[in-house]
Amino acid sequence: MNSIWEDLKYSYRTDGTTQRLIYWNVGVFIVSQLVLLIFPVWGSQCLNWMALPLDLQAWMFQPWGLITYTFFHASFMHLFFNMLVLHFAGRLFETYFNGQQTLGVYILSGIGAGLLCMIGSSLFGFNGSIMVGASASIMGLLTAVTAYNPVMPVRLMLIGQVRLWHITGCLLFLDLIQWKSDAGGHFAHLCGAVFGVIYMLLLQKGTDLSRLIPGANPWYAKWFSKSKTPLKKVHVNRTPPSNNSNLRKVVQKTKEQQQVDEILDKISKSGYDSLSQAEKEFLFREGKS
């Protein structure tokens, strides 16, 4: 059990923002289910306070719901399928963009979709009074990376290689044809997808909306920022003064420090995922020392 816990902590420290988002979604679901099991009535009330009210007047009394609803799920299957797509979309997005942008698109797509769903509910009268789930945020990530590189090749099991826009197009088409079964949920998916495209179009013009998230919520974003590996202190040997030169410092790097530098150079050129498992473990050990 201790080994599993250490592996989870290591994964949380070293993996990207997508993996951290998955951990938070799963963790919130586990805690919420335990609360419901132990305190059914009180737990249900608390979960309603974490959801997004579809009524604008009710939302005025719990504005935090625009963010918290993206981390709560109604059932295990709801969570399971959302996390599968989040892992897929987030990994593709982080192929081109950093963790701050991943978190930014996730949060902003959820906020934008939530606002439009409240407006849509007042106009079309969606079923239900609250909304939970990360689907809108995930669709924002997927459409953002699709807008950036629609012809990116993706290999699917049993199907083979397809283009990214094929996958995104199929998911959006399913939302459209299943509209009547859950109008509010599918409307949220489409709204999240729209915000993902808007984000990418603005980014390509030089405006990165993801900077709004860490600037406004440093306490929130720091949970998802990739931990920096602290470097060991550089040893400085002082040479005695000579007749032809003044006192100078000679910096000597240890063998371990040289290896750390080589790994960091590799990360800057090819990204963290290019490291081998041995290099990741070495970097983690050096960071703790």
Side-chain angles (χ1 to χ4, degrees):
M1 179 63 74
N2 186 53
S3 177
I4 295 176
W5 177 247
E6 290 298 324
D7 289 343
L8 289 175
K9 290 198 298 183
Y10 173 75
S11 177
Y12 186 86
R13 288 182 179 181
T14 58
D15 290 345
T17 301
T18 296
Q19 199 66 25
R20 288 183 171 88
L21 286 169
I22 292 175
Y23 281 141
W24 274 94
N25 276 275
V26 173
V28 167
F29 180 78
I30 293 173
V31 171
S32 65
Q33 294 304 304
L34 289 175
V35 171
L36 279 174
L37 182 64
I38 300 173
F39 309 104
V41 177
W42 179 78
S44 179
Q45 293 175 346
C46 289
L47 292 182
N48 286 338
W49 272 84
M50 294 296 104
L52 175 66
L54 293 179
D55 181 73
L56 284 170
Q57 291 182 345
W59 172 74
M60 296 295 291
F61 293 95
Q62 52 186 101
W64 56 84
L66 273 177
I67 294 179
T68 55
Y69 89 95
T70 63
F71 292 94
F72 283 81
H73 291 81
S75 66
F76 173 77
M77 295 308 296
H78 186 203
L79 172 76
F80 178 74
F81 285 112
N82 270 356
M83 293 305 98
L84 281 181
V85 183
L86 174 57
H87 183 269
F88 172 78
R91 290 292 186 177
L92 292 181
F93 187 87
E94 290 187 331
T95 301
Y96 303 104
F97 307 101
N98 59 41
Q100 173 183 315
Q101 292 168 317
T102 303
L103 177 62
V105 174
Y106 183 93
I107 298 298
L108 292 174
S109 296
I111 292 175
L115 289 172
L116 289 180
C117 279
M118 287 189 289
I119 297 173
S121 180
S122 63
L123 295 176
F124 307 117
F126 297 145
N127 293 329
S129 58
I130 60 174
M131 182 170 69
V132 293
S135 304
S137 299
I138 296 168
M139 286 303 298
L141 285 169
L142 182 60
T143 56
V145 68
T146 303
Y148 181 76
N149 186 7
V151 296
M152 179 182 184
V154 179
R155 185 170 296 278
L156 298 178
M157 186 180 299
L158 303 179
I159 296 178
Q161 183 169 293
V162 298
R163 300 297 182 183
L164 180 56
W165 74 267
H166 295 153
I167 300 173
T168 306
C170 286
L171 292 177
L172 294 175
F173 179 71
L174 289 175
D175 278 320
L176 290 174
I177 64 175
Q178 295 177 354
W179 180 273
K180 292 184 178 180
S181 63
D182 181 14
H186 295 297
F187 184 73
H189 298 175
L190 296 174
C191 291
V194 169
F195 272 88
V197 174
I198 291 174
Y199 170 85
M200 189 52 60
L201 293 177
L202 291 175
L203 181 63
Q204 292 175 332
K205 292 182 179 180
T207 302
D208 187 357
L209 294 180
S210 69
R211 295 180 180 178
L212 298 175
I213 300 302
N217 302 280
W219 60 273
Y220 183 86
K222 68 181 181 180
W223 293 340
F224 298 94
S225 60
K226 182 171 287 191
S227 56
K228 296 181 180 180
T229 303
L231 297 181
K232 297 175 66 177
K233 292 183 179 180
V234 176
H235 298 281
V236 180
N237 294 333
R238 300 182 180 274
T239 57
S242 62
N243 296 330
N244 299 326
S245 63
N246 296 324
L247 183 65
R248 54 193 298 249
K249 296 180 181 179
V250 179
V251 179
Q252 296 181 343
K253 296 184 178 180
T254 65
K255 181 179 179 181
E256 291 78 7
Q257 182 63 42
Q258 291 176 352
Q259 190 171 350
V260 169
D261 291 342
E262 292 174 358
I263 294 175
L264 293 178
D265 288 339
K266 186 175 180 180
I267 293 175
S268 65
K269 294 178 181 178
S270 306
Y272 181 82
D273 290 337
S274 65
L275 300 182
S276 65
Q277 186 62 33
E279 289 173 326
K280 292 180 180 178
E281 293 176 355
F282 173 79
L283 196 61
F284 180 67
R285 289 196 305 269
E286 289 298 304
K288 294 178 64 177
S289 61

